[in-house]
Amino acid sequence: MKTIGIGFHFEDLAIGDRFRTTARTVTEADLVCFVNFSWLTEEIFTDMASRDGVALPARVVPGAMVYSMAEGLLTPMMQRTGLAFFNAELDVQAPTCVGDTLHVECEVIEARTTSKLDRGLVRTRNRVVNQHGQAVLVYNPLRMLRRRAAS
């Protein structure tokens, strides 16, 4: 398994390569800041007094926040080498709550050059995993990365 450092170049990644990020615990402050910044003010995220009929009594975190945290954990993967984010399919698989600790496990599932010699396309399968080893979110971003020959 490779360790994330300062950005992978296209040539550093091959189909089947796997790596993981460091971990980060979701805090109450994280949730409050994200909900206020994003305006995701749905009561499940903001109202702790009225929990009747809610499936989870804990402080649930929006899937969009889990995705954002995962991308933040992955930033070192593309530091100074990432050129573009094109698309991804995203699947929220389990709830995330304040106090959960997350890391991202990645596997390269696609790697191809582009018509421009200074860049290539890489798609990874990213599993956001909590402290219990449970995948809470899975997505597969396609990114453009610099090629080493061009730097």
Side-chain angles (χ1 to χ4, degrees):
M1 217 178 242
K2 293 180 181 179
T3 301
I4 293 178
I6 299 296
F8 291 129
H9 287 83
F10 173 77
E11 295 87 352
D12 297 333
L13 298 170
I15 294 174
D17 282 354
R18 300 169 72 99
F19 56 92
R20 66 164 281 172
T21 68
T22 58
R24 168 89 156 64
T25 300
V26 181
T27 68
E28 177 73 19
D30 295 331
L31 175 59
V32 170
C33 288
F34 185 85
V35 166
N36 286 325
F37 173 77
S38 65
W39 284 54
L40 288 175
T41 56
E42 185 177 350
E43 288 182 354
I44 192 170
F45 308 127
T46 61
D47 185 351
M48 286 303 293
S50 302
R51 301 307 285 175
D52 295 338
V54 176
L56 290 171
R59 278 295 258 173
V60 181
V61 173
M65 181 175 156
V66 175
Y67 164 75
S68 296
M69 290 182 76
E71 284 292 283
L73 288 167
L74 284 164
T75 296
M77 169 192 163
M78 51 213 144
Q79 198 71 273
R80 291 189 241 157
T81 59
L83 298 172
F85 177 99
F86 290 110
N87 68 24
E89 292 178 7
L90 185 139
D91 182 24
V92 177
Q93 298 193 331
T96 298
C97 298
V98 168
D100 284 350
T101 299
L102 307 174
H103 71 272
V104 185
E105 297 175 355
C106 300
E107 179 180 2
V108 177
I109 58 174
E110 180 182 345
R112 56 189 160 98
T113 58
T114 67
S115 59
K116 297 193 178 189
L117 299 177
D118 63 342
R119 58 197 73 174
L121 298 174
V122 175
R123 185 179 301 278
T124 54
R125 180 174 183 269
N126 298 346
R127 294 178 68 240
V128 183
V129 179
N130 67 17
Q131 70 275 15
H132 305 295
Q134 178 183 30
V136 296
L137 188 136
V138 176
Y139 66 108
N140 61 350
L142 178 64
R143 303 181 197 278
M144 183 180 288
L145 297 177
R146 287 187 202 285
R147 293 190 66 177
R148 192 173 299 286
S151 34

